[in-house]
Amino acid sequence: MKYSIIGAGIGGLTTALAFEKKGIDYHIFEKAFELSEVGAGIWLAPNALQVLEHLEILEDIKEKGNSIDRITISKADLNPLSDNFQDNIKKEFGFSTIAIHRAELQKLLFNKIPKEKISLGKGFQSFEKLNDDSIKIKFDDNSEFLTDFLIGADGINSKVRKQLFPNSKTRFSEQTCWRGVANIKLNKEFENRGIELWGNQIRFGISKIARNKVYWFAVAIDKPNQKDDESLIKQKLLKMFSNFHPLVRELISATSEINILRNDIYDLEPLENWHKGNVCLIGDAGHATTPNMGQGGAQAIEDAYYLSNLIKSNINENIFKLFQQKRQSKVNTIVKQSWTTGKMAHWRYGKNFRNFLLKNLPKKILENKMMEMYQIEKVL
Ligand SMILES: Cc1cc2nc3c(=O)[nH]c(=O)nc-3n(C[C@H](O)[C@H](O)[C@H](O)COP(=O)(O)OP(=O)(O)OC[C@H]3O[C@@H](n4cnc5c(N)ncnc54)[C@H](O)[C@@H]3O)c2cc1C
């Protein structure tokens, strides 16, 4: 039985690697002609890291990334509102979160996949169900490919999803995010921390991802589809964060403007189904979430793990149905919580109430919630 995966992002590549480990027949198709340097940093939470450990890639990730041992949400001046050491998480899983450059993560995953099983420059166009229940995939270059199962891992604007569920809708959060990597050496006290500074309807995140490389993100309320003048973007951000801790402005200043990315923040209105017949969606294609909990990539990675385990152990069952049953409830909870967290971070009125809530939320409750989210089933 052949599985065809559309999209070589975090979800597609991890699925390919998981299939490789389980000896499942697959091929992966990516529209980009090369997997070039993408994005800025990414946090890999312990649920993702457990999967990556299972796929024998954790040591490389540890080497290329940076461990986040303390997560702080602070006021704009770095005065903590919520400050959580990750010691118990580390004790439970053997690691906390790792921050890494996305390009490093992608390279590590890509290099583990046999080159004959991945085709670049293959933009998925549509699929057609044939009488014998197999699927004909059509690509932008007019080529075709026959497969038994089709997996859409083609991101939030998935074409596979648009054909499968034409009424699916993305939702704009009314927030826009700028991301960059500053070439700077952080003070020792900030080296192993993930920090978010929350101001008045704007916030700024900081974490070291490698030696002398610091990933940052800035979030503000904005209209969708706006463009920045590249030559003015740093000035704009410096002005926006002028009353934040000086470290924020130091990071913006130490980033090349050509490497500052801008993205409007969307998620996907939860789908009733992620699959129909022998076509299934994974990762952002099926359940994109806002990035406020740092879980979108982690959920795509979990999808890869559960899907490969289910295929291997349930040969005659409807795998995609089982997959959705196993995953949907957790994913929907994360999508909802992440959306609410994003809204709360940018409350127009009630900033003091928000800060009070954060300051007084018992650490144990937060930690238990994290522990629960980071658990994955041990099915080997
Ligand atoms: C600002 C921001 C910060 C984030 N931070 C974090 C974080 O810290 N931690 C975390 O876990 N998650 C984070 N996320 C979420 C994470 O980036 C996504 O959830 C993750 O990238 C989803 O992976 P994916 O493989 O499903 O989709 P994608 O990464 O979008 O990959 C889709 C792939 O499919 C390809 N493709 C698209 N269309 C076609 C086609 N027609 N044919 C063939 N190929 C196609 C694309 O080129 C791409 O390679 C963040 C997201 C944003 C926006």
Side-chain angles (χ1 to χ4, degrees):
M1 285 293 176
K2 183 136 201 128
Y3 287 81
S4 294
I5 305 164
I6 305 295
I10 296 172
L13 288 174
T14 313
T15 302
L17 196 52
F19 283 8
E20 191 64 37
K21 187 176 167 83
K22 293 270 191 264
I24 297 165
D25 188 16
Y26 73 93
H27 197 90
I28 177 165
F29 300 93
E30 163 61 46
K31 77 171 172 192
F33 284 87
E34 56 179 324
L35 294 186
S36 51
E37 184 129 330
V38 280
I42 185 163
W43 283 27
L44 292 172
N47 47 334
L49 294 176
Q50 287 170 84
V51 175
L52 296 167
E53 183 177 39
H54 169 73
L55 296 176
E56 295 164 58
I57 194 173
L58 179 65
E59 289 312 310
D60 302 305
I61 284 169
K62 280 184 179 165
E63 194 195 316
K64 297 283 180 195
N66 180 46
S67 176
I68 302 294
D69 301 334
R70 181 177 169 190
I71 298 179
T72 308
I73 296 178
S74 73
K75 291 188 191 167
D77 58 5
L78 257 181
N79 235 318
L81 291 165
S82 147
D83 202 4
N84 295 288
F85 288 85
Q86 302 293 292
D87 301 10
N88 288 339
I89 306 267
K90 244 184 171 165
K91 223 178 275 165
E92 171 78 14
F93 301 106
F95 33 71
S96 48
T97 289
I98 291 180
I100 187 169
H101 200 293
R102 278 175 185 258
E104 291 291 356
L105 173 64
Q106 195 174 38
K107 216 187 303 166
L108 287 171
L109 291 167
F110 181 72
N111 287 342
K112 296 265 178 193
I113 295 164
K115 294 301 153 274
E116 67 277 12
K117 294 192 184 174
I118 180 159
S119 300
L120 299 176
K122 283 279 177 195
F124 166 91
Q125 183 59 250
S126 61
F127 67 86
E128 187 190 326
K129 283 208 137 196
L130 303 179
N131 288 337
D132 63 355
D133 226 24
S134 64
I135 296 173
K136 190 199 282 179
I137 310 172
K138 295 181 185 166
F139 294 97
D140 289 340
D141 61 4
N142 292 324
S143 61
E144 297 176 343
F145 190 83
L146 282 182
T147 191
D148 299 301
F149 295 96
L150 177 63
I151 297 173
D154 48 342
I156 186 165
N157 296 312
S158 165
K159 266 195 177 175
V160 179
R161 185 186 72 239
K162 283 175 187 161
Q163 180 173 347
L164 203 60
F165 302 119
N167 296 328
S168 63
K169 285 191 200 86
T170 54
R171 305 184 290 200
F172 179 48
S173 67
E174 297 176 345
Q175 295 170 13
T176 292
C177 178
W178 293 265
R179 287 175 289 167
V181 175
N183 296 319
I184 214 173
K185 183 165 169 44
L186 269 188
N187 267 346
K188 194 113 193 92
E189 63 164 316
F190 299 127
E191 274 207 334
N192 295 101
R193 290 174 68 179
I195 305 173
E196 266 200 40
L197 300 88
W198 286 13
N200 209 356
Q201 295 197 284
I202 51 173
R203 61 193 151 122
F204 196 90
I206 303 170
S207 51
K208 177 181 161 183
I209 49 171
R211 194 162 169 261
N212 296 342
K213 290 211 183 300
V214 181
Y215 161 52
W216 58 261
F217 59 85
V219 186
I221 292 179
D222 211 339
K223 293 194 230 25
N225 306 318
Q226 305 298 300
K227 296 258 179 301
D228 294 311
D229 178 338
E230 194 178 286
S231 64
L232 298 176
I233 178 63
K234 273 165 69 166
Q235 276 152 268
K236 172 176 163 166
L237 291 171
L238 286 169
K239 190 165 166 221
M240 201 186 276
F241 290 93
S242 59
N243 66 349
F244 273 55
H245 189 279
L247 176 59
V248 167
R249 294 188 304 282
E250 204 185 324
L251 288 166
I252 296 168
S253 302
T255 306
S256 154
E257 40 275 273
I258 55 166
N259 293 327
I260 298 180
L261 303 169
R262 177 185 177 131
N263 291 91
D264 296 328
I265 303 292
Y266 285 85
D267 78 357
L268 181 66
E269 191 177 283
L271 298 174
E272 199 177 322
N273 281 305
W274 296 351
H275 66 96
K276 200 191 269 177
N278 39 1
V279 183
C280 187
L281 305 167
I282 63 161
D284 277 12
H287 48 72
T289 172
T290 50
N292 305 305
M293 291 170 69
Q295 274 289 322
Q299 291 309 306
I301 289 170
E302 274 198 38
D303 282 351
Y305 176 72
Y306 284 103
L307 190 55
S308 60
N309 286 334
L310 285 168
I311 291 171
K312 209 56 204 167
S313 52
N314 296 277
I315 291 160
N316 295 317
E317 310 245 6
N318 183 339
I319 299 299
F320 293 154
K321 189 171 167 201
L322 292 179
F323 168 68
Q324 179 182 320
Q325 278 167 357
K326 198 162 266 306
R327 297 282 298 127
Q328 200 173 26
S329 157
K330 176 173 183 178
V331 168
N332 283 353
T333 304
I334 288 170
V335 169
K336 202 168 166 187
Q337 279 179 5
S338 184
W339 184 270
T340 310
T341 306
K343 290 291 166 200
M344 182 173 126
H346 292 258
W347 270 348
R348 187 181 192 104
Y349 306 106
K351 190 181 104 187
N352 291 340
F353 178 59
R354 175 200 76 187
N355 290 355
F356 172 84
L357 280 182
L358 272 175
K359 238 185 150 68
N360 291 289
L361 185 69
K363 281 191 182 356
K364 202 67 208 159
I365 291 188
L366 198 65
E367 189 175 280
N368 288 345
K369 276 211 161 300
M370 294 292 117
M371 287 277 191
E372 196 185 322
M373 185 167 74
Y374 295 156
Q375 297 294 343
I376 63 164
E377 268 175 30
K378 299 274 183 269
V379 192
L380 300 177

